[in-house]
Amino acid sequence: ILFAVWFGIAAYRKYSSGGGYPNISLSAPLPGIPKPVFASVDGHEKYETKITTLENGLKVASQNKFGQFCTVGILVNSGSRHEAKYPSGIAHFLEKLAFSSTAQYGSKDEILLTLEKHGGICDCQTSRDTTMYAVSAEVKGLDTVVSLLSDAVLQPRLLDEEIEMTKMAIRFELEDLNMRPDPEPLLTEMIHAAAYRGNTVGLPRFCPVDNVEKIDKKVLHGYLRNYYCPERMVLAGVGIEHEQLVECARKYLLNVKPVWETPSGKISVAGSQKTNVFFPLQEEDFIPFAVLNMMMGGGGSFSAGGPGKGMFTRLYLNVLNRHHWMYNATSYHHSYEDSGLLCIHASADPRQVREMVEIITREFIQMAGNTGEMELERAKTQLKSMLMMNLESRPVIFEDVGRQVLSTGKRKLPHELCDLISKVTASDIKRVTAKMLRSKPAVAALGDLTELPSYEHIQAALSSKDGRLPRMYRLFR
């Protein structure tokens, strides 16, 4: 573009004295301009995800991407769902303690200074089923980055002063969480606890206040010993050559003895039984549920409109546009390796809670009805565009590669996911909705709940044909 601009200026100067412009066809090559060289692919998609499994069970996955920076990290099949036999909150502690002092680095400042030499930053995030340590830095610093990641994951010192600072940070975060005007994080915690009865993914993602003092170095080492093993890990990288990443993995992750390793054997931790409130996250169900979630959409009553904002989704058309007193109605899809939840979060004045609940139960029942061709195509197109836009970001590609390889051992490429989305039909939507409505609902509520219907009434509404709550008659109001 820059060349075209300057060429145009040069041409203008040449002929601005009054002479006529030459008769040059825009479809023919310009005289004196070098022939352009276009990028090409070798038969199949050049940037497909490559996966190698090392002798110790650790998987190495990479996706090449043009640029001088890369994102590399270690993902562990470990999160709050694995704390059934431990005090809840360990994953939260490990997230805060990540990239602190290690066997090789004396402090977090040393780690940050090392990364700065390569223009790098680091981060750690935990979810209910995954812990992710990630670094973005220049490609030429890959050896240093993988060495640092290995040290941070397998050789943390977990000093007493670091644990005390973490306890202070967690207490502050919990206070802040309860003071936020947005109740969505708390409602998400509550709906998981209700749906899974406090087991597996229903265990709290944030450390409960009562457990802050229960977690120490010994507890952390016991947890790490069971879950931070090579066969539960993936070293994922985006923007680097696969062979180079495998070489670094063999060098720093193959024969490394973790700091918590002891002669005693591993402890077997059995998972708790689950309730029947969720649906199995099978591949044939996952994509239709994602499309259904987009079709429901929703948002706040003051959301700005415009293309791609979901103003034609059901929760806007049927709920927010018709009931001006509702503050919010939004659909959420929480998906996991073996289960998932489809939720509708709604908020309104406490005096209208009963009416709000009935509006939402009716929307759930209407999901099982006929789906219009236009709204289905709109939801599929919106889902595909959101997928492709998100995967333009290198860190998002890294997370997608790591999570897919960690849970399935392989990765579906974006065009494969788009093909699966395109194949979703109205009958698929009806099938997964009927399957969902056969299970018991989970309900979570915050605020003044005087007018909240009983669980039995909500369950009766979701079992009825029209989604209406049973009528209540009062002698005195």
Side-chain angles (χ1 to χ4, degrees), residues 218 221-222 225-226 257 260-268:
K218 183 179 178 182
H221 274 185
R225 190 179 301 117
N226 279 299
K257 187 176 181 180
W260 53 81
E261 192 172 287
T262 60
S264 59
K266 292 182 182 178
I267 304 168
S268 175

Side-chain angles (χ1 to χ4, degrees), residues 49 51 59 61 75 130 234 236 283 286 337 387 391 396-414 416-417:
T49 304
I51 303 168
K59 292 183 177 64
L75 291 92
T130 309
V234 170
E283 187 175 302
F286 171 65
E337 188 177 342
L387 172 73
L391 289 175
V396 175
I397 299 173
F398 155 76
E399 187 173 350
D400 182 55
V401 170
R403 284 182 179 275
Q404 285 202 49
V405 174
L406 190 65
S407 60
T408 66
K410 57 185 179 180
R411 186 199 178 209
K412 283 193 179 297
L413 295 171
E416 295 178 279
L417 291 172

Side-chain angles (χ1 to χ4, degrees), residues 182-227:
D182 178 20
E184 195 271 326
L186 284 176
L187 267 178
T188 301
E189 284 290 288
M190 292 168 65
I191 199 68
H192 278 81
Y196 298 91
R197 298 184 185 176
N199 296 322
T200 59
V201 291
L203 290 167
R205 194 167 72 85
F206 301 104
C207 180
V209 178
D210 295 341
N211 286 0
V212 173
E213 289 301 325
K214 295 178 183 177
I215 297 173
D216 54 18
K217 187 173 182 177
K218 183 179 178 182
V219 173
L220 293 171
H221 274 185
Y223 179 87
L224 292 167
R225 190 179 301 117
N226 279 299
Y227 292 107

Side-chain angles (χ1 to χ4, degrees), residues 65-79:
K65 183 177 172 66
F66 176 77
Q68 62 179 358
F69 278 80
C70 64
T71 299
V72 182
I74 295 175
L75 291 92
V76 189
N77 185 9
S78 157

Side-chain angles (χ1 to χ4, degrees), residues 265-454:
K266 292 182 182 178
I267 304 168
S268 175
V269 181
S272 306
Q273 67 173 13
K274 301 177 184 178
T275 66
N276 63 345
V277 75
F278 56 82
F279 50 87
L281 191 61
Q282 298 163 355
E283 187 175 302
E284 64 269 19
D285 288 349
F286 171 65
I287 298 293
F289 267 113
V291 174
L292 174 61
N293 181 55
M294 293 301 299
M295 197 165 72
M296 297 308 295
S301 55
F302 294 102
S303 298
K309 293 292 181 68
M311 302 301 282
F312 287 93
T313 57
R314 287 191 181 184
L315 291 180
Y316 262 112
L317 294 176
N318 301 345
V319 178
L320 295 170
N321 289 357
R322 294 184 183 181
H323 307 284
H324 61 88
W325 45 267
M326 286 190 68
Y327 305 146
N328 188 295
T330 310
S331 177
Y332 291 92
H333 181 212
H334 304 284
S335 57
Y336 303 100
E337 188 177 342
D338 53 356
S339 64
L341 289 170
L342 186 76
C343 313
I344 295 180
H345 288 195
S347 58
D349 187 277
R351 293 167 295 182
Q352 293 170 302
V353 167
R354 184 177 178 85
E355 189 177 351
M356 175 185 71
V357 170
E358 184 171 86
I359 288 167
I360 298 307
T361 55
R362 287 165 65 181
E363 285 302 313
F364 269 110
I365 294 298
Q366 287 171 17
M367 289 181 195
N370 294 325
T371 303
E373 183 180 348
M374 186 178 291
E375 71 168 343
L376 180 61
E377 288 303 316
R378 184 186 289 118
K380 292 196 289 186
T381 301
Q382 197 169 351
L383 182 59
K384 285 187 280 188
S385 66
M386 185 179 292
L387 172 73
M388 299 308 290
M389 282 190 292
N390 286 338
L391 289 175
E392 287 180 5
S393 166
R394 189 182 64 250
V396 175
I397 299 173
F398 155 76
E399 187 173 350
D400 182 55
V401 170
R403 284 182 179 275
Q404 285 202 49
V405 174
L406 190 65
S407 60
T408 66
K410 57 185 179 180
R411 186 199 178 209
K412 283 193 179 297
L413 295 171
H415 70 85
E416 295 178 279
L417 291 172
C418 286
D419 288 343
L420 290 172
I421 294 168
S422 298
K423 291 175 183 176
V424 174
T425 63
S427 61
D428 291 325
I429 300 295
K430 187 175 286 190
R431 174 179 59 80
V432 296
T433 301
K435 190 174 184 179
M436 175 180 65
L437 292 175
R438 283 197 299 269
S439 65
K440 288 184 178 181
V443 181
L446 272 172
D448 183 350
L449 309 178
T450 308
E451 296 294 320
L452 181 72
S454 67

